[in-house]
Amino acid sequence: MLYSQTTDQKYELRENHALYLTCQNKGGYMPLLDNIKNHEYSFTKLDSQRVLIKVTRKDGEKASAIVKFYPPK
């Protein structure tokens, strides 16, 4: 579960050949990383607000992203 201070919405992180955020109350989605091999991803907590996401794509390429979590207001 992620919280956006900008939109004041809660989001869920999901996977289906792509890691994406979906708005909990209003639908829609925002892709983060795509073309992911099934279940080939990992999460590493960096600190209280940041998580490192590492994935392997279908073509074997390794990719990563850092997602920052904001506490609810």
Side-chain angles (χ1 to χ4, degrees):
M1 189 67 65
L2 295 93
Y3 175 76
S4 170
Q5 289 182 324
T6 305
T7 63
D8 195 36
Q9 296 292 320
K10 292 180 181 175
Y11 295 86
E12 293 180 54
L13 184 61
R14 296 190 177 188
E15 180 263 338
N16 184 13
H17 302 291
L19 285 175
Y20 62 95
L21 292 173
T22 182
C23 186
Q24 190 178 33
N25 298 325
K26 296 186 179 180
Y29 68 96
M30 176 176 38
L32 298 176
L33 295 161
D34 60 1
N35 294 316
I36 298 171
K37 284 185 178 181
N38 284 344
H39 309 294
E40 290 204 26
Y41 54 87
S42 66
F43 302 95
T44 304
K45 183 177 179 178
L46 300 175
D47 57 35
S48 64
Q49 291 185 299
R50 297 179 307 136
V51 173
L52 172 63
I53 302 170
K54 293 182 180 181
V55 302
T56 302
R57 293 200 163 136
K58 291 177 182 178
D59 64 3
E61 175 189 2
K62 305 285 185 184
S64 61
I66 295 175
V67 175
K68 185 171 182 176
F69 295 79
Y70 289 96
K73 290 181 182 180

